[in-house]
Amino acid sequence: MTDSKYFTTTKKGEIFELKAELNSDKKEKKKEAVKKVIASMTVGKDVSALFPDVVNCMQTDNLELKKLVYLYLMNYAKSQPDMAIMAVNTFVKDCEDANPLIRALAVRTMGCIRVDKITEYLCEPLRKCLKDEDPYVRKTAAVCVAKLHDINSQLVEDQGFLDALRDLLSDSNPMVVANAVAAISEILDTSPTAQQVLEMNSVTINKLLTALNECTEWGQVFILDSISNYTPKDDKEAQSISERVTPRLAHANAAVVLSAIKVVMKYMEMLEPNSEYVTMLVKKLAPPLVTLLSAEPEIQYVALRNINLIVQKRSDILKNEMKVFFVKYNDPIYVKLEKLDIMIRLTNQSNIAQVLAELKEYATEVDVDFVRKSVRAIGRCAIKVEQAAERCVSTLLDLIQTKVNYVVQEAIVVIKDIFRKYPNKYESIIATLCENLDTLDEPEARASMIWIIGEYAERIDNADELLESFLEGFQDENAQVQLQLLTAIVKLFLKRPTNTQELVQQVLSLSTQDSDNPDLRDRGYIYWRLLSTDPAAAKEVVLAAKPLISEETDLIEPTLLDELICHISSLASVYHRPPNNFVEGRSSLRRSLPPRSASGNNVGDAVPEEVLQMQNSGQSSAPQATVIPGADSLIGDLLDMDLGGPSSYQQNQMFQTPSAQPVQTTAGIDLLGEGLDSLLGGGSTAGDALGGLGDIFSGGQSSSYVPPQEVFLPANKGKGLEISGTFARRNGQVFMELTFTNKAMQAMGDLGIQFNKNSFGLAPAAPINIPSPLPPNGSASTSLPLSTTGAVQKMEPLLALQAAIKNNIGVFYFSCTVPLHVLFTEDGEMDKKEFLSTWKEIPSQNEEQYTITNVQHSADSVSQKLRNSNIFTIAKRNVEGQDMLYQSLKLTNGIKVLAELKIQPGNNNFVLSLKCRALDIYAGVQLAYDTILHN
């Protein structure tokens, strides 16, 4: 008979009977009783009253009984902490048992009992088990360290368990290494302070790679994930690690394959993009990804979501594998839709015919959602591949002729987008669209049709009748349709004013007087005022040339994409959201791809969250069509940005109201009216007078260190415009040193630059001043002065600066990192009393120490070098042969940082201690010291 019999009893007075059986002298009867207790506990009965009796059963050699008692203890120890102490001696004794299974069981159970009183007794047995001769015990103890860290992190760090865990990475048994890596990953996710002890280095990584070949598949996943979090010293190390990881691409387990792909994708960023090795890696990545698509549907979906990210980052990996993404008849809908999305991303001129034939076939399927997405995909193909636009339009017309309602409506929506991409090219099909007017019942389709009628009203003879038919049920229409109808009728009136005056008055009255929708009312009043004040001005506004829509409107924003690439093979890559969006209590540390060692951006090209007024360089040029993102893009707000500047007529005639005065540039105001320290929890922002110590360092000010230029915007992302730059500080002001290179075949002009909100309120203080236009293959450099009074918003990472650059071709985005030392002000020198009192006021837990290695300077030359970059030495002492420099600095937002630099003669490693109220800036200050002292 099986153990299920223990779950069928419903006797009354059972607790009393169980108590008697637990105290029986017969071992078998005792074991039966414990099984009954566990069964009762499992179905939700309260058997905590039996705690002392069950604990007495621990003194046994029977492994099965011991496991059952330990299971009971784990469940009830929290509610009976005082009773749980009774079991401690048995735990300690079991940790020294001759049987390794019992030793491991004891330490595992102690780790699972989340009671503070027991935790104190766990330390010594755990320390012994970490050095146990049996690998099974060691690997169990490694996981126990992570559990103990979750209960009491301070205890783990104080008792030196982190060092013991790090030592296990060198263990001879690969499973011990894998469990140690898993425990370290868990600890690092929850404790930033453990980073220094558990930091990976090239020696550790080498040990992990050695263990990789011998441990189980889940051990391999942990090791590969840990390797992916390591940043190699240079491209040679990145290549070496990639070579040792690539054999995992052929593994049978999908998790191992995806983890290996994550490592390779990250390390490829450090390698020269056109090198033979990168080309070979790209070829190696395709087959494992294709193989994943032959697994069961759930794994296929996870693989497809990851492939979606990989294709956006490196479309060349799967450019020849289009056929594997063709939909099968028996694919679940979630797999079909994901395959469709990837097909569009891989579409190009060479495979468009094949893709179109597939999409046309899909549009005749029975699944409505899939058909809609297929029709929309045909429109996306037309926008993406210009040479195939005509074939796409022809395919859409064929689908409209099927008269299937939802197909027709979806086709009209995408044809509207095609008209926006290719104006005055396919208007001959409007008549066909108008024939299907009566069948439209979905808001998006009706709004699209109304837009088409309004935009091409002069070519449609009965445009007024068509729009009037929509107006009859105006109050019942969706808000999207109402807004579009209002605009379309105003366009019609401006094009044919003689016989549409009554129609426009009717729609304006309905919009302003009879509507509760504030958006509709406001638009109605704006049109009414424009038309009544100056119809000519209204014509220039409403009938202005439309900007072309962009090719891809659903791409993931580049910095988010880089972060998601770092999370391949995790839930984040399936949700396409960073972990801290959906995991409570997740550390806010964001992962990013490593910088390329030779060329490329250090931070990645990021799209600003908000674009304010663009600062133009002042040169005027003829208005040109500007390719900008579509309405559903993350950067769709750019539609409202004035790219070409208003005409003088528009300025003089149209916008006379005070509310429409030119917007101030961000360089002149602080939108939040406060410094960054309010965001960081910092202290006072009051100005600080110079200390006036008059020591030997208060001589003439030398220029601060200027880092070498790096590429901010590569030519392939700027449509031929390459921007290199760096930051400098001169005469109390921050400058952005920029070099513009035109690698396109046409001249470039009309340059303007705008920054997103950033941590230190940096904003351009003047327009870009370079000769315009910039001829092909031409190059020009400029120093752009920056103010620190712009809009403030804390960034991740703190020193990231996101910028939008505009020229006559388009708007482009890049992200760079501002070196913190250019934000150190000239008035950061404190007097000795102020330094001493401030040091005492800042809590001791705010103090952090760093080691700066291999510095070839004496104390005096260090002081001078740092003073050149506005780090001031307040006092110098000699303690037991060590030179101690006490220093202060101040940031542009008023945050003050105090430092102590220990210099020992004959030792090139300096110890830097920092104290400040804003802890977030420590990493930037430490890097500034390191950079200045090594250059």
Side-chain angles (χ1 to χ4, degrees):
M1 191 172 176
T2 64
D3 285 347
S4 60
K5 64 182 179 182
Y6 300 111
F7 293 90
T8 57
T9 57
T10 54
K11 289 189 294 182
K12 291 185 178 179
E14 203 173 10
I15 296 289
F16 182 76
E17 288 180 21
L18 287 171
K19 194 177 184 77
E21 288 178 26
L22 286 168
N23 292 307
S24 169
D25 294 332
K26 295 178 181 176
K27 287 187 178 179
E28 278 305 313
K29 203 167 185 182
K30 195 178 277 192
K31 189 161 77 170
E32 290 289 307
V34 174
K35 284 187 177 181
K36 288 176 187 175
V37 171
I38 298 296
S40 300
M41 183 182 83
T42 306
V43 296
K45 289 183 184 176
D46 183 11
V47 284
S48 58
L50 298 169
F51 198 95
D53 305 288
V54 175
V55 169
N56 285 337
C57 298
M58 285 177 74
Q59 305 290 345
T60 177
D61 298 329
N62 188 305
L63 187 59
E64 185 184 4
L65 180 56
K66 199 174 277 287
K67 280 184 179 179
L68 290 169
V69 174
Y70 279 178
L71 190 63
Y72 178 89
L73 274 172
M74 280 190 269
N75 195 51
Y76 283 116
K78 203 162 189 179
S79 60
Q80 307 256 3
D82 294 329
M83 299 290 287
I85 295 290
M86 293 164 52
V88 166
N89 285 337
T90 310
F91 280 132
V92 174
K93 185 180 171 187
D94 282 354
C95 284
E96 296 177 358
D97 195 278
N99 187 341
L101 291 176
I102 290 180
R103 295 203 298 275
L105 181 64
V107 79
R108 177 191 290 129
T109 308
M110 285 181 83
C112 291
I113 296 176
R114 302 178 67 84
V115 176
D116 288 335
K117 291 179 181 177
I118 287 187
T119 306
E120 297 166 14
Y121 296 99
L122 175 60
C123 295
E124 213 45 53
L126 179 58
R127 188 175 282 108
K128 288 179 183 175
C129 289
L130 284 167
K131 295 178 180 176
D132 197 281
E133 60 185 19
D134 192 281
Y136 181 76
V137 180
R138 293 200 300 276
K139 82 181 184 72
T140 307
V143 176
C144 189
V145 172
K147 289 178 180 176
L148 183 60
H149 187 274
D150 191 39
I151 300 167
N152 190 339
S153 57
Q154 195 59 48
L155 180 70
V156 169
E157 291 171 21
D158 293 346
Q159 292 284 337
F161 286 130
L162 295 182
D163 293 315
L165 201 55
R166 189 187 58 207
D167 294 341
L168 286 184
L169 295 175
S170 308
D171 200 278
S172 57
N173 187 291
M175 275 315 300
V176 176
V177 175
N179 277 24
V181 168
I184 286 171
S185 302
E186 187 74 27
I187 291 169
L188 289 178
D189 272 348
T190 55
S191 171
T193 55
Q195 184 74 44
Q196 292 174 337
V197 181
L198 300 175
E199 193 172 4
M200 295 288 176
N201 54 41
S202 52
V203 177
T204 313
I205 292 295
N206 201 37
K207 291 171 184 171
L208 296 186
L209 288 165
T210 305
L212 187 62
N213 299 321
E214 299 173 41
C215 56
T216 65
E217 51 199 21
W218 297 114
Q220 291 181 39
V221 170
F222 280 122
I223 289 175
L224 287 167
D225 285 348
S226 187
I227 291 170
S228 74
N229 295 332
Y230 169 69
T231 303
K233 298 192 296 289
D234 51 33
D235 53 350
K236 287 181 182 175
E237 189 183 3
Q239 183 170 331
S240 169
I241 295 172
S242 298
E243 283 171 358
R244 295 176 70 179
V245 165
T246 43
R248 301 298 107 203
L249 295 173
H251 202 281
N253 185 295
V256 176
V257 172
L258 282 173
S259 294
I261 288 170
K262 170 167 61 180
V263 175
V264 174
M265 285 291 292
K266 281 193 74 172
Y267 287 1
M268 278 168 74
E269 288 297 302
M270 294 189 69
L271 305 175
E272 186 59 43
N274 300 321
S275 65
E276 286 182 19
Y277 186 68
V278 168
T279 308
M280 184 197 73
L281 279 180
V282 166
K283 286 179 183 174
K284 279 188 175 181
L285 285 175
L289 289 171
V290 170
T291 306
L292 290 174
L293 298 182
S294 58
E296 50 267 34
E298 293 79 9
I299 290 180
Q300 274 191 59
Y301 179 72
V302 172
L304 287 165
R305 292 294 282 174
N306 281 275
I307 288 169
N308 203 325
L309 296 174
I310 292 165
V311 165
Q312 288 184 55
K313 187 69 184 172
R314 292 183 177 271
S315 58
D316 52 337
I317 290 175
L318 291 163
K319 64 182 178 185
N320 300 320
E321 304 292 343
M322 176 65 84
K323 282 190 177 178
V324 299
F325 298 106
F326 286 174
V327 172
K328 296 173 186 170
Y329 76 94
N330 59 348
D331 280 340
I333 183 64
Y334 54 88
V335 171
K336 285 181 176 178
L337 296 177
E338 205 57 39
K339 280 185 174 180
L340 204 54
D341 203 33
I342 295 169
M343 277 173 64
I344 304 306
R345 299 203 192 286
L346 293 175
T347 300
N348 53 43
Q349 199 175 341
S350 61
N351 59 24
I352 185 70
Q354 203 177 17
V355 172
L356 268 181
E358 277 289 312
L359 292 176
K360 191 173 181 182
E361 192 71 29
Y362 300 160
T364 59
E365 291 269 348
V366 291
D367 191 312
V368 176
D369 286 338
F370 182 52
V371 170
R372 286 177 180 279
K373 184 114 181 190
S374 302
V375 175
R376 195 157 286 210
I378 295 171
R380 284 174 64 188
C381 286
I383 292 167
K384 187 174 183 182
V385 185
E386 186 171 351
Q387 296 82 351
E390 197 161 336
R391 292 175 65 177
C392 294
V393 171
S394 174
T395 305
L396 288 169
L397 284 176
D398 290 346
L399 292 173
I400 288 173
Q401 297 304 331
T402 63
K403 300 295 182 186
V404 178
N405 190 292
Y406 54 86
V407 174
V408 171
Q409 301 202 76
E410 206 63 49
I412 286 173
V413 172
V414 298
I415 286 172
K416 179 260 292 181
D417 290 336
I418 292 171
F419 283 171
R420 285 197 62 190
K421 177 70 175 176
Y422 309 110
N424 304 314
K425 198 167 181 182
Y426 300 110
E427 283 69 32
S428 56
I429 67 171
I430 291 175
T432 311
L433 303 181
C434 290
E435 290 171 12
N436 297 280
L437 208 58
D438 297 335
T439 63
L440 307 180
D441 55 15
E442 292 172 11
E444 194 177 4
R446 289 170 75 81
S448 298
M449 192 67 228
I450 290 166
W451 182 87
I452 292 168
I453 295 169
E455 190 67 17
Y456 300 101
E458 70 278 10
R459 306 185 189 193
I460 306 171
D461 295 335
N462 62 337
D464 51 343
E465 294 173 17
L466 296 175
L467 292 175
E468 196 170 3
S469 68
F470 284 104
L471 201 59
E472 289 167 5
F474 185 81
Q475 299 294 4
D476 301 324
E477 294 284 6
N478 181 281
Q480 181 184 7
V481 178
Q482 290 178 334
L483 286 164
Q484 203 58 260
L485 189 54
L486 169 61
T487 302
I489 291 175
V490 171
K491 285 179 183 175
L492 175 66
F493 171 71
L494 292 170
K495 291 175 180 179
R496 289 162 36 186
T498 49
N499 54 354
T500 54
Q501 195 164 346
E502 189 179 328
L503 189 62
V504 81
Q505 284 176 342
Q506 189 182 349
V507 77
L508 288 172
S509 174
L510 286 168
S511 304
T512 55
Q513 294 168 22
D514 303 339
S515 173
D516 295 331
N517 185 334
D519 293 336
L520 184 64
R521 268 205 318 272
D522 289 352
R523 191 182 290 193
Y525 280 126
I526 289 169
Y527 283 150
W528 202 321
R529 185 165 188 178
L530 268 174
L531 293 169
S532 59
T533 308
D534 191 339
K539 201 166 188 176
E540 283 201 41
V541 173
V542 180
L543 302 181
K546 305 289 183 297
L548 305 180
I549 63 171
S550 67
E551 295 171 2
E552 291 283 3
T553 57
D554 62 341
L555 290 175
I556 294 174
E557 182 264 315
T559 44
L560 174 58
L561 178 61
D562 286 352
E563 186 177 356
L564 293 177
I565 292 290
C566 299
H567 290 291
I568 282 175
S569 79
S570 71
L571 267 181
S573 65
V574 178
Y575 291 158
H576 288 188
R577 294 280 182 274
N580 51 14
N581 278 19
F582 59 87
V583 181
E584 285 186 20
R586 177 80 181 186
S587 170
S588 59
L589 185 67
R590 293 180 66 180
R591 295 181 187 174
S592 58
L593 293 178
R596 184 157 290 146
S597 55
S599 62
N601 293 347
N602 279 350
V603 185
D605 301 334
V607 180
E609 296 167 9
E610 180 181 339
V611 179
L612 306 173
Q613 171 107 5
M614 178 71 77
Q615 296 188 352
N616 294 320
S617 55
Q619 295 92 346
S620 60
S621 64
Q624 299 192 24
T626 310
V627 179
I628 67 169
D632 60 341
S633 168
L634 285 170
I635 47 174
D637 286 350
L638 277 170
L639 285 168
D640 300 321
M641 189 173 68
D642 183 7
L643 298 170
S647 68
S648 58
Y649 179 78
Q650 288 171 333
Q651 287 175 324
N652 295 333
Q653 300 296 326
M654 289 160 51
F655 299 106
Q656 298 295 330
T657 60
S659 60
Q661 290 302 310
V663 180
Q664 266 190 300
T665 62
T666 56
I669 53 171
D670 180 351
L671 293 181
L672 296 183
E674 55 190 12
L676 179 69
D677 54 335
S678 63
L679 289 169
L680 302 179
S684 168
T685 58
D688 179 31
L690 286 169
L693 294 174
D695 61 12
I696 58 168
F697 302 120
S698 58
Q701 180 77 6
S702 302
S703 60
S704 66
Y705 166 67
V706 180
Q709 287 203 354
E710 62 185 46
V711 177
F712 289 162
L713 179 70
N716 63 336
K717 293 187 178 176
K719 295 195 176 177
L721 175 64
E722 182 180 277
I723 303 174
S724 301
T726 187
F727 294 83
R729 187 175 185 89
R730 294 191 297 274
N731 303 322
Q733 183 162 21
V734 183
F735 288 84
M736 194 176 187
E737 307 288 351
L738 294 169
T739 300
F740 296 87
T741 306
N742 181 2
K743 296 187 176 181
M745 303 300 289
Q746 66 184 92
M748 292 183 182
D750 245 4
L751 278 164
I753 192 167
Q754 163 64 39
F755 295 167
N756 188 17
K757 292 177 182 177
N758 54 79
S759 303
F760 292 89
L762 290 172
I768 294 174
N769 183 22
I770 63 167
S772 185
L774 189 63
N777 298 317
S779 184
S781 298
T782 184
S783 287
L784 179 68
L786 305 181
S787 73
T788 54
T789 54
V792 174
Q793 176 178 303
K794 186 180 175 184
M795 300 295 288
E796 284 289 344
L798 190 70
L799 294 167
L801 179 65
Q802 299 171 340
I805 196 90
K806 181 215 93 170
N807 63 13
N808 58 325
I809 294 174
V811 180
F812 311 102
Y813 307 95
F814 65 83
S815 178
C816 54
T817 303
V818 182
L820 190 64
H821 72 270
V822 302
L823 301 171
F824 298 169
T825 62
E826 286 69 17
D827 62 344
E829 188 169 7
M830 295 182 179
D831 62 37
K832 291 181 181 178
K833 286 183 181 177
E834 184 188 4
F835 182 94
L836 194 60
S837 62
T838 309
W839 186 277
K840 289 177 181 176
E841 285 169 13
I842 298 172
S844 58
Q845 59 262 36
N846 281 27
E847 183 175 352
E848 286 197 16
Q849 279 196 353
Y850 302 89
T851 302
I852 303 175
T853 57
N854 197 26
V855 184
Q856 307 292 333
H857 290 287
S858 65
D860 290 344
S861 62
V862 163
S863 292
Q864 183 60 55
K865 202 169 183 64
L866 292 172
R867 189 180 186 85
N868 291 345
S869 293
N870 295 333
I871 300 173
F872 301 93
T873 300
I874 309 301
K876 175 183 169 185
R877 286 195 304 155
N878 190 286
V879 181
E880 297 178 352
Q882 283 189 118
D883 285 325
M884 313 279 279
L885 301 182
Y886 297 93
Q887 299 173 322
S888 70
L889 62 94
K890 181 180 169 186
L891 298 174
T892 52
N893 58 7
I895 291 177
K896 297 175 185 177
V897 183
L898 311 184
E900 177 193 73
L901 197 61
K902 294 179 186 174
I903 304 172
Q904 191 165 358
N907 187 349
N908 292 337
N909 295 342
F910 295 0
V911 177
L912 173 68
S913 300
L914 297 177
K915 255 196 170 187
C916 178
R917 291 188 176 88
L919 305 182
D920 302 54
I921 64 169
Y922 280 0
V925 174
Q926 183 262 332
L927 184 62
Y929 266 83
D930 197 286
T931 306
I932 294 165
L933 293 177
H934 285 101
N935 290 283

